[in-house]
Amino acid sequence: MVALRSAAYLPLLVVLSSLVPGVIIAFLREEQVRTRTALNIAGAVLKILLVALMLWGVAEGRRYAWRLAIMPGFELTLVGDALALLFVTLSAILWLVTTLYAIGYLEASPNRSRFFAFFSLCVTATVGIALAGDLFTFVLFYEALTWTTYPLIVHRGTPATIAAGRTYLQYTVTGGTLLLVGTVWLWAVAGTLTFRDGGFLAGLPAETHGELTAIFAVLVLGLGVKAALVPLHGWLPAAMVAPAPVSALLHAVAVVKAGAFGIVRVLYSVYGIELATALGGAQALAIAAGITILYGSFRALTQDDLKRRLAYSTVSQISYITLGVATLGPVASLGGLVHLVHQGLMKITLFFCAGNLAETIEVRRVSEMDGVGRRMPWTMAAFAIGALGMIGLPPLPGFVTKWYLGLGGLAAGDVWVVAVLVLSTVLNAAYFLPILRRAWFADGIPAVPHASEAGPLLISSTVTAAALSLAAGLFANMVISPLTWTRLVIERLYAP
Amino acid sequence: MSPDSPWIVWAVVAPLIAALLAAGFGPRATPLVFLTGVLGVPVSAAALAVQVERFGPQRHAIGGWGEPLGIELYADGLAALMLLVSAVVGAAVSVYASGFFGAGQAPPVPVMATDGSSVGYGHAPPVAVAGYPGGAAPAPPRAPHGVLAPGMPDASGAGQALTASPPADARAGRFFWPLWMLLWAALNALFLSRDVFNLYVTLELMSLSAVALVTLGGTDAATVAGMRYLLMSLLGSLLFLLGVALLYAAYGTLSLDGLASAAAGALDGGGSIPPATVLALAVMTVGLCIKAALFPFHAWLPPAHASAPAPASALLSGLVVKAAFYILVRLWLQVLPVAVPGAALRLIGVLGAGAVLWGSVLALVQHNLKLLIAYSTVAQLGYLFLLFPLLTDGGSPAAGAWNDAAWSGGIYQALAHACAKAAMFLAAGSMIHASGSDALVALDGISHRLPLSFTAFGLGGLTMAGLPPSGGFIGKWLLLTAAFETGRWVWAGVIAGGGLLSAAYVYRVLRHAFGRSEALPPPAPVPRRMELAALGLALVAVALGVAATRPIELLEVGAGPLAPMTGAMSEPGGAYADPAPGGSQSHEPISPDSPARGSGLSGAPARPPALPGAAARCAPILTGTLAQAPLPSTPGP
């Protein structure tokens, strides 16, 4: 009994493992580098251990829940179920990798205590989003994520970053308000906000369906901002002026993922995919995702700034998740959900590489990348894995995603999904392959032939991220892999 | 916790004694002032809140003389919470002020402005604008800030720039303490008053002390603003007094309970509300709206709050304006709800919405930190008034079937705003002292130049924008809930839109705070206790966003009209008169199969636990010697 009761605190501990270090770091002096680093790494490692414990429990069929009354009728509810753990595991692992990268990246730069404090708070909010057991808790952490990310984006304090921060807040605060309004409205209609596999709205009478459709639109608009659905994506390319670890956090670990995960929750745990399809919301969402995929890829084609190109690539790739979950049927869901992890792994690799290039040899534009493969072989090898994975080359994770998405689209009778995938793959290749060609095979390599690789922390975290990406694709059918876990999620979602 | 301990009295007497000590013995008495007032009020307020929570509303007849001859103090959940917030904010401001005014040390030698970077806009404390005041610095020096930036004029000497010196001279402090303790006593007495004349007296005492606090700044701007404030405040008081006289002429009683039952009785007998009652309520309402700076009566507030010394600004914006709102809630909803038609509720709601929008827009165009915060107060006060239209589904509040979420949301917003806004003004005082200017542009890089104070400011800003975790989020959530439960989208739009505008004006400070500051001289050191007091208060505002259950449940003790209507206007056994056994959980999750829209308006016994049902059944706890009839709000068995 005692063991069971203490296990209920696991979700709370997962949240605290970054909240507590974050708060302590906020009060550290700038010179206390060792204490800060120790706290950062201890928190990240502890979080992974706790998550591993929960993974094991959930795989055994357990479900962790922890509650705290906030006000009469509303509780902070943290639930560790299979879907939550998919996101939590991704965040926990990538947080450790990104922390190591950030420690190396920000060496000897000012205001590191502030940076790492908000970095930890940001991850706390993300983990809270993942573990939220009802929409109230979700909103709480989702809005907290908005303001904890802002100081990271404007970290450098230059006019360009301040402007990007402004754009970011304009988009996300408005989105957050929409989500809040939609949530309260939903509560007024349904009287509950507790997530349930298959949705908690299915039993509502037909005369509420008009209102439910409107609420669906409001919720998706609110979430679509962070998920960078076109035309709500404008903040994401603007935010690429942030330091590289922050970009990694925005694109892979926290912010866009929070939006996409929110859409998953609304579809699967609030409305249920059947009701969402009956209301027409799911189809509209799938079409918006399809448009976003193509639009993002087209825009990426013409960007010369490397990080901006990667940002548009994120706009496009993140919508694979939305497309998959909004398409009816378990196979498409599998493709969409697994991309939550796959996109994170590949995109974090790519942003680490961009950061290495900018910090080490001041290369920020695609047109300056001639021959960088010889100068920074490790970085560019990692970049190649990420880029080829995004294109969908087997056996890399992007291929796994696209395979199941395509199968799912066919199974649901939506042939256009396959067309979108094919076109998008062509476009992916068109904006990634020229980079690889320049890096490795360009004529007229500039006269700096010697290797000038990035620092050891930067390189090791980059290579780790690339190795994780490779493994996620190569060993997709092993017992421990994102795909296997997602299968578990889907089984439980479709057979509640 | 004994039900008989007269904590309710100490909440008023403690600051009164402290005021006398401070006035009589000057700076030497400051430790005693802290012991009696700053320690006494929070302890008695907390004890009283526990008493109300456990034993229901508390009543005490001073000296054993009850109504109609003597003065009675009374505390229900609302009063207890207001008192608690007054205690928390007051204690933090006192700690801050002891650093701000130099804690009774010799006044620092005035040093003229030594560098061209000080941009005085006339709203900063006078000495703070002068750059780095030298002289004897009482507070221990903070960690050295390193050398001054090269090229920086250095007439005051680098050595003095390294020690934290109080931003205002101790002469102002000599007047601050007696005035503030008197204000505190008056404010606490106001929250505990049970008759309209005492409300008038305490309101007037509080306002006069507040005006004096504004002029402590000593600048011309402060004197002019203080004068305007005085005139508007007197006008408001006179209107209120006129209303009191009209009510006394009509009913021959001043007691809130007496007035409530007399007015309800007049209606019960088949008659209509006497025009004198309506007139009285109308003039009192106008007077109170002036004092609460409700749009369009807000113009006096921003200059007064912006030109006062920082601790005074915090008190004015955090507590003083809430007093008028508090009286308005009592009069409109509990004493004379029979004289309040639904249209009046909507009208005052419209004014509140106007305040939210107009105040925010004006906050968006300010160039000075304290003016921005002051206009934010105008806007945030507007939220409180949204409580009125959302409370009923369009009818009079007399029926008693109030919307829970609107009631607790409006009041909660007041509590959260009190803590958060006071924290922001305190933090602003520190930031202005450090950067030497009140201009927003002087705040470049303040997030790393003065991290503790900026954190306090930012956390306060969360409540303004209604972002979690903060008390402001809970308040907005509840108000939104009330709007959606009754399907009134316009109010929901105002609440949500106001939140966006608030975020926008808070952002105007953030933009500078995270900017580069290489070009600026190093910040003047700020006494540590000033920074910590602001941060502590901001953390209270955050805590209100996490632990809202107990305050909201306490708020229900004694809520509802004092004299519930019988007959046509209400159903007997309606929400408030219903002693639901065990108290069912309000907003309980409802199974999808039986969706129910709303809960407060349906009249169903869906109320949080510890409800008036349960609370009012407790016999009123009497102290002193006078036996009392049961409270009028107690439903008959």
Side-chain angles (χ1 to χ4, degrees):
Chain A
M1 265 333 269
V2 177
L4 266 181
R5 219 173 290 143
S6 64
Y9 285 98
L10 266 180
L12 175 68
L13 292 176
V14 169
V15 172
L16 290 181
S17 62
S18 48
L19 179 64
V20 172
V23 171
I24 298 175
I25 288 170
F27 291 94
L28 289 183
R29 275 174 291 115
E30 204 52 38
E31 313 86 73
Q32 291 172 290
V33 180
R34 273 203 199 156
T35 320
R36 191 169 57 224
T37 309
L39 275 169
N40 267 324
I41 293 177
V45 170
L46 179 65
K47 191 188 288 289
I48 289 184
L49 292 177
L50 291 167
V51 169
L53 212 58
M54 270 212 296
L55 276 173
W56 175 69
V58 169
E60 301 268 290
R62 243 170 271 153
R63 187 170 176 276
Y64 301 95
W66 180 84
R67 290 188 170 80
L68 170 77
I70 295 279
M71 57 178 146
F74 294 99
E75 290 175 323
L76 185 80
T77 315
L78 298 175
V79 172
D81 60 11
L83 179 55
L85 279 174
L86 184 72
F87 189 17
V88 171
T89 312
L90 171 79
S91 298
I93 292 175
L94 292 191
W95 184 41
L96 177 60
V97 179
T98 315
T99 302
L100 292 173
Y101 186 85
I103 291 170
Y105 188 89
L106 292 172
E107 217 160 35
S109 79
N111 304 324
R112 274 176 294 164
S113 278
R114 186 183 79 191
F115 181 90
F116 283 106
F118 279 104
F119 204 69
S120 301
L121 291 181
C122 192
V123 171
T124 307
T126 308
V127 172
I129 287 169
L131 291 172
D134 60 20
L135 204 51
F136 172 74
T137 310
F138 184 91
V139 169
L140 222 60
F141 284 109
Y142 190 85
E143 299 246 51
L145 180 63
T146 301
W147 65 261
T148 49
T149 314
Y150 174 77
L152 299 176
I153 293 178
V154 299
H155 179 69
R156 287 199 180 115
T158 58
T161 55
I162 300 275
R166 181 195 179 105
T167 313
Y168 170 76
L169 280 186
Q170 281 169 344
Y171 275 88
T172 50
V173 172
T174 313
T177 304
L178 285 175
L179 178 66
L180 175 69
V181 167
T183 304
V184 175
W185 190 2
L186 188 66
W187 184 82
V189 173
T192 176
L193 293 173
T194 309
F195 290 151
R196 225 169 67 179
D197 287 347
F200 59 77
L201 300 176
L204 288 189
E207 61 263 25
T208 59
H209 281 188
E211 249 178 305
L212 288 182
T213 313
I215 296 171
F216 186 86
V218 174
L219 290 175
V220 165
L221 278 177
L223 295 164
V225 171
K226 282 208 176 104
L229 274 181
V230 171
L232 311 171
H233 66 286
W235 63 273
L236 189 58
M240 60 91 203
V241 291
V246 177
S247 297
L249 199 73
L250 288 177
H251 289 260
V253 190
V255 181
V256 291
K257 283 294 155 58
F261 187 74
I263 290 178
V264 173
R265 276 295 189 197
V266 165
L267 276 172
Y268 287 166
S269 309
V270 176
Y271 279 78
I273 191 73
E274 285 83 11
L275 179 62
T277 311
L279 295 176
Q283 296 88 321
L285 192 57
I287 290 167
I291 293 172
T292 306
I293 290 172
L294 296 180
Y295 176 86
S297 300
F298 271 115
R299 289 301 301 272
L301 280 177
T302 55
Q303 306 300 326
D304 188 32
D305 188 301
L306 179 60
K307 282 180 83 179
R308 191 176 273 275
R309 186 174 292 199
L310 292 179
Y312 275 108
S313 159
T314 301
V315 171
S316 162
Q317 292 275 339
I318 206 76
S319 275
Y320 281 24
I321 304 169
T322 311
L323 180 66
V325 295
T327 304
L328 202 60
V331 186
S333 305
L334 181 61
L337 278 181
V338 79
H339 203 51
L340 199 77
V341 178
H342 287 167
Q343 188 271 352
L345 294 173
M346 296 184 290
K347 195 39 78 63
I348 207 166
T349 312
L350 292 172
F351 268 104
F352 283 171
C353 295
N356 291 352
L357 289 171
E359 284 307 291
T360 318
I361 56 172
E362 301 271 319
V363 167
R364 294 192 167 81
R365 300 184 164 278
V366 175
S367 52
E368 300 165 350
M369 288 180 73
D370 285 350
V372 288
R374 312 236 178 114
R375 298 169 68 187
M376 303 181 70
W378 287 100
T379 297
M380 287 317 292
F383 191 94
I385 291 178
L388 294 174
M390 285 289 184
I391 297 169
L393 200 74
L396 291 166
F399 168 74
V400 179
T401 301
K402 290 183 183 183
W403 175 257
Y404 284 106
L405 275 181
L407 282 184
L410 288 179
D414 293 331
V415 184
W416 63 270
V417 170
V418 183
V420 166
L421 286 175
V422 170
L423 191 51
S424 159
T425 302
V426 172
L427 290 167
N428 292 160
Y431 64 77
F432 272 128
L433 288 181
I435 301 179
L436 296 182
R437 189 190 58 79
R438 272 181 188 274
W440 295 105
F441 310 108
D443 308 326
I445 293 163
V448 199
H450 59 86
S452 49
E453 209 26 289
L457 265 179
L458 300 188
I459 274 303
S460 53
S461 25
T462 310
V463 169
T464 309
L468 287 173
S469 309
L470 189 60
L474 208 54
F475 306 121
N477 266 327
M478 304 285 273
V479 182
I480 300 175
S481 81
L483 185 67
T484 311
W485 188 267
T486 313
R487 281 216 180 93
L488 181 77
V489 174
I490 298 290
E491 275 166 24
R492 294 190 181 173
L493 275 177
Y494 279 82
Chain B
M1 181 65 57
S2 153
D4 298 328
S5 321
W7 291 111
I8 193 168
V9 181
W10 283 110
V12 180
V13 172
L16 211 53
I17 296 175
L20 291 175
L21 287 172
F25 299 99
R28 276 168 300 157
T30 306
L32 280 177
V33 168
F34 264 78
L35 200 65
T36 46
V38 180
L39 196 63
V41 175
V43 168
S44 34
L48 178 63
V50 174
Q51 281 179 328
V52 172
E53 197 175 40
R54 290 210 191 146
F55 310 114
Q58 301 286 302
R59 191 184 278 268
H60 182 90
I62 291 179
W65 292 89
E67 289 170 352
L69 287 176
I71 294 175
E72 272 199 0
L73 298 178
Y74 173 91
D76 55 7
L78 172 61
L81 273 175
M82 296 303 283
L83 198 69
L84 207 52
V85 163
S86 152
V88 170
V89 173
V93 170
S94 300
V95 172
Y96 181 92
S98 71
F100 190 86
F101 291 112
Q105 300 287 324
V109 182
V111 174
M112 295 312 293
T114 55
D115 59 279
S117 69
S118 295
V119 198
Y121 277 77
H123 295 297
V127 186
V129 180
Y132 310 105
R142 289 207 309 170
H145 272 263
V147 279
L148 295 173
M152 193 208 132
D154 191 15
S156 65
Q160 276 137 359
L162 296 179
T163 52
S165 35
D169 65 41
R171 274 169 305 184
R174 195 167 290 183
F175 294 104
F176 175 82
W177 290 104
L179 284 171
W180 154 225
M181 287 300 144
L182 185 63
L183 190 155
W184 212 0
L187 185 70
N188 292 352
L190 185 150
F191 290 140
L192 301 172
S193 283
R194 203 52 174 174
D195 74 60
V196 276
F197 188 72
N198 286 345
L199 282 176
Y200 165 74
V201 172
T202 49
L203 185 68
E204 194 64 4
L205 260 178
M206 181 198 74
S207 304
L208 290 176
S209 328
V211 170
L213 282 176
V214 169
T215 57
L216 274 189
T219 57
D220 288 349
T223 313
V224 172
M227 203 54 166
R228 272 171 82 182
Y229 181 21
L230 178 66
L231 291 176
M232 291 308 281
S233 188
L234 281 179
L235 178 62
S237 305
L238 284 176
L239 286 171
F240 188 80
L241 187 61
L242 181 62
V244 172
L246 284 170
L247 285 180
Y248 189 66
Y251 298 107
T253 177
L254 293 167
S255 125
L256 299 189
D257 301 308
L259 285 171
S261 34
L267 204 67
D268 261 353
S272 58
I273 294 294
T277 310
V278 177
L279 181 64
L281 191 61
V283 291
M284 289 167 112
T285 300
V286 174
L288 290 170
C289 287
I290 292 175
K291 281 192 177 271
L294 178 62
F295 173 86
F297 306 112
H298 63 277
W300 63 266
L301 184 146
H305 287 197
S307 59
S313 308
L315 296 171
L316 294 172
S317 260
L319 299 178
V320 171
V321 283
K322 307 291 188 309
F325 169 74
Y326 169 84
I327 299 179
L328 205 63
V329 167
R330 284 267 189 242
L331 286 183
W332 274 46
L333 304 181
Q334 296 196 296
V335 180
L336 297 171
V338 289
V340 178
L345 294 176
R346 280 192 293 281
L347 174 67
I348 206 159
V350 168
L351 295 184
V356 168
L357 301 177
W358 186 237
S360 302
V361 167
L362 286 180
L364 275 173
V365 298
Q366 300 305 316
H367 297 291
N368 299 71
L369 180 59
K370 285 184 79 177
L371 272 176
L372 185 151
I373 307 175
Y375 275 106
S376 150
T377 297
V378 172
Q380 297 286 328
L381 286 172
Y383 272 111
L384 312 187
F385 289 86
L386 298 183
L387 148 72
F388 293 102
L390 293 174
L391 194 69
T392 70
D393 52 359
S396 159
W402 291 357
N403 185 304
D404 293 345
W407 168 251
S408 33
I411 304 292
Y412 210 77
Q413 188 77 19
L415 306 176
H417 179 257
C419 297
K421 185 50 69 69
M424 286 172 87
F425 261 123
L426 294 184
S430 306
M431 297 194 295
I432 289 168
H433 175 55
S435 61
S437 163
D438 183 20
L440 285 182
V441 287
L443 295 177
D444 278 337
I446 202 78
S447 73
H448 53 264
R449 286 153 62 85
L450 210 59
L452 287 183
S453 291
F454 174 72
T455 306
F457 187 90
L459 292 178
L462 287 184
T463 280
M464 298 303 128
L467 290 173
S470 75
F473 172 76
I474 304 284
K476 267 173 207 152
W477 175 280
L478 288 168
L479 286 174
L480 264 182
T481 307
F484 275 112
E485 272 178 356
T486 51
R488 281 177 290 177
W489 317 90
V490 180
W491 298 115
V494 170
I495 296 163
L500 283 178
L501 286 171
S502 316
Y505 63 69
V506 172
Y507 167 75
R508 297 187 64 227
V509 179
L510 295 190
R511 179 184 60 187
H512 289 291
F514 286 100
R516 290 271 174 108
S517 60
E518 283 85 1
L520 294 175
V526 175
R528 194 68 159 189
R529 67 177 81 173
M530 285 169 58
E531 296 211 86
L532 291 179
L535 186 62
L537 205 47
L539 287 175
V540 172
V542 169
L544 281 174
V546 181
T549 308
R550 263 179 92 178
I552 289 177
E553 286 177 0
L554 183 58
L555 204 50
E556 301 288 351
V557 177
L562 291 184
M565 291 299 295
T566 51
M569 288 192 71
S570 75
E571 333 94 271
Y576 268 81
D578 180 25
S584 64
Q585 186 81 11
S586 171
H587 310 321
E588 214 166 26
I590 296 161
S591 77
D593 310 307
S594 61
R597 181 183 261 287
S599 61
L601 292 178
S602 57
R607 308 208 33 96
L611 285 201
R617 265 176 294 149
C618 307
I621 308 303
L622 297 181
T623 53
T625 56
L626 198 75
Q628 277 283 333
L631 292 182
S633 63
T634 309

